[in-house]
Amino acid sequence: MRAARITAAGEPLEVAEVADPVPRAGEVRVRVRSAGVCHSDLHLWEGGYDMGGGKLLKVTDRGVRFPVTPGHEVAGTVDAVGEGVDAVGVGDEVLVYPWAGCGACPACEAGAENVCDAPRSMGIFQDGGYAEMMIVPGQGYLARLDGVGMDEATSLACSGLTAYTAVKRAGAGGARNIVIIGAGGLGLMGVQIAKATTGANIVCVDLDDEKLKTASGMGAAHVVNSGADGAAQRVIEACGGAGAEGVIDFVNAPPTAALALDVVRKRGTVVMVGLFGGSFQLPLVSVPLRAITIQGAYTGTYSDMVELIGLARRGAIRPVVSKRYPLDGANDALSDLKARKIVGRAVINP
Ligand code: NAD
Ligand code: ZN
């Protein structure tokens, strides 16, 4: 089969013929029909995360080994099954839950493999879906599509799922206002999910007016370009004057983190999601005096992914897929995402 692989940080992906993977006992081979191109694939390709002060957290120090096939938003058909697999059969249309854990730590025991102590995530720590086929290490990591389109479904495995987790946290306690920072693949899903699952006034922030226009069309009542002067004040006013009960930062870089803390109201919650990175100074007393909560969110659980497929099936959310690439175009897909040319999601159709 053919696969697009990262062989070294920052080097072009190598699109080459590799051996067809063979499912072992308990494993499933999926014929990939569509793989979403996530900004996290860019961080993986660049080789690390910006920790601020010129420091880089290398993905290889977190357990990634090159060469690796990226792609963690994967929809396809079951192509072959290993011994003992009985819940899915050849030809079934499935979405892969890529956030596999160790199965033994407290998070895995609680059904939250996405925050496992020793993650085995597909497309990061093991080969993913920028390929004609991929191995899924257990039938429990598959969910049936039952009518949701392959390209639209991909984003439900990461961008939609992460946005779902973040909206649940930011909207907890009946938030009247939710501010969504970043209207990319994750942020646009966040706007739709907040619209479908909360009654909040939704305010969306980005640097790009075209993306903000899309956000308005998907349910944001107000949009603010954070490149303009007085952006924080405009966001606070759009929230009725006191700020937002819930703020989700899908960028999470120094300027957006500062904005998030400026616009969160007293007793509110800031959910940090993006991995753009860097560092910033926090006036410590502002946290207790305003009784705010700052928390992180990383992808989501299998059961949340199944709930999300249900929302998509009912038409309550409609993932935006604006561009399609063949496997040979994997490098173009990543470059276009980096150059902010993609509205919503791009997918690779191997
Ligand atoms: P994307 O490239 O599709 O979208 C990013 C958006 O942020 C773009 O619309 C861009 O215009 C906007 N933006 C960039 N800098 C900005 C700034 N300073 N102010 C305002 N807007 C700005 O990316 P994505 O796929 O949506 O991913 C977003 C981030 O979330 C990435 O860092 C990705 O790695 C991370 N991520 C985190 C998780 C998690 O579980 N925590 C999961 C998936 C992705
Ligand atoms: Zn992702």
Side-chain angles (χ1 to χ4, degrees):
M1 69 158 185
R2 285 159 61 71
R5 316 199 78 198
I6 302 174
T7 54
E11 295 295 321
L13 272 68
E14 197 178 279
V15 187
E17 194 69 31
V18 298
D20 286 1
V22 178
R24 292 175 301 184
E27 295 181 343
V28 178
R29 185 169 75 193
V30 170
R31 174 82 179 80
V32 180
R33 301 290 174 194
S34 190
V37 181
C38 178
H39 207 109
S40 295
D41 300 334
L42 269 182
H43 299 309
L44 183 68
W45 183 36
E46 287 164 351
Y49 303 97
D50 176 0
M51 300 298 280
K55 278 182 271 171
L56 189 77
L57 171 63
K58 285 191 185 172
V59 294
T60 45
D61 289 341
R62 292 190 72 228
V64 171
R65 287 206 307 260
F66 296 137
V68 70
T69 306
H72 53 267
E73 299 191 349
V74 188
T77 47
V78 172
D79 178 66
V81 299
E83 204 186 300
V85 171
D86 51 11
V88 291
V90 172
D92 287 355
E93 300 197 336
V94 290
L95 178 63
V96 176
Y97 177 79
W99 312 111
C102 68
C105 75
C108 287
E109 276 171 13
E113 290 194 41
N114 56 305
V115 285
C116 169
D117 287 337
R120 299 182 297 146
S121 321
M122 291 159 239
I124 299 172
F125 299 111
Q126 51 185 305
D127 287 337
Y130 284 27
E132 288 174 325
M133 297 177 222
M134 78 177 266
I135 293 291
V136 175
Q139 58 187 355
Y141 298 117
L142 296 171
R144 283 177 200 283
L145 287 180
D146 286 337
V148 180
M150 295 271 177
D151 289 345
E152 289 68 32
T154 58
S155 57
L156 306 177
C158 176
S159 47
L161 181 58
T162 305
Y164 195 41
T165 305
V167 167
K168 277 190 177 177
R169 295 186 182 175
R176 288 189 201 163
N177 304 280
I178 295 180
V179 171
I180 290 182
I181 304 176
L186 269 68
L188 287 180
M189 288 300 302
V191 169
Q192 292 191 57
I193 291 168
K195 176 87 181 165
T197 64
T198 75
N201 169 45
I202 301 163
V203 183
C204 188
V205 178
D206 201 288
L207 287 171
D208 184 326
D209 284 331
E210 196 196 338
K211 289 174 180 170
L212 289 174
K213 217 164 101 191
T214 312
S216 296
M218 320 219 87
H222 306 270
V223 294
V224 174
N225 189 315
S226 55
D229 285 343
Q233 199 47 43
R234 300 240 302 282
V235 173
I236 291 168
E237 278 160 21
C239 293
E245 291 77 5
V247 181
I248 308 172
D249 189 351
F250 286 113
V251 179
N252 203 23
T256 58
L259 179 71
L261 284 151
D262 279 347
V263 304
V264 69
R265 65 159 296 147
K266 193 168 183 177
R267 302 178 300 281
T269 297
V270 174
V271 185
M272 293 183 171
V273 176
L275 298 166
F276 276 64
S279 61
F280 84 118
Q281 285 214 322
L282 175 68
L284 293 172
V285 294
S286 68
V287 178
L289 287 180
R290 297 165 67 207
I292 56 172
T293 303
I294 301 173
Q295 57 172 298
Y298 187 76
T299 67
T301 64
Y302 177 83
S303 59
D304 277 348
M305 188 180 91
V306 172
E307 280 177 33
L308 209 48
I309 295 173
L311 285 178
R313 196 177 293 130
R314 294 206 311 274
I317 52 168
R318 296 179 195 279
V320 182
V321 177
S322 64
K323 214 159 174 193
R324 293 168 174 80
Y325 298 82
L327 192 57
D328 282 327
N331 283 296
D332 298 333
L334 287 172
S335 304
D336 288 351
L337 182 63
K338 187 169 181 168
R340 300 210 206 130
K341 287 186 192 159
I342 306 294
V343 175
R345 265 291 183 259
V347 297
I348 292 174
N349 300 123

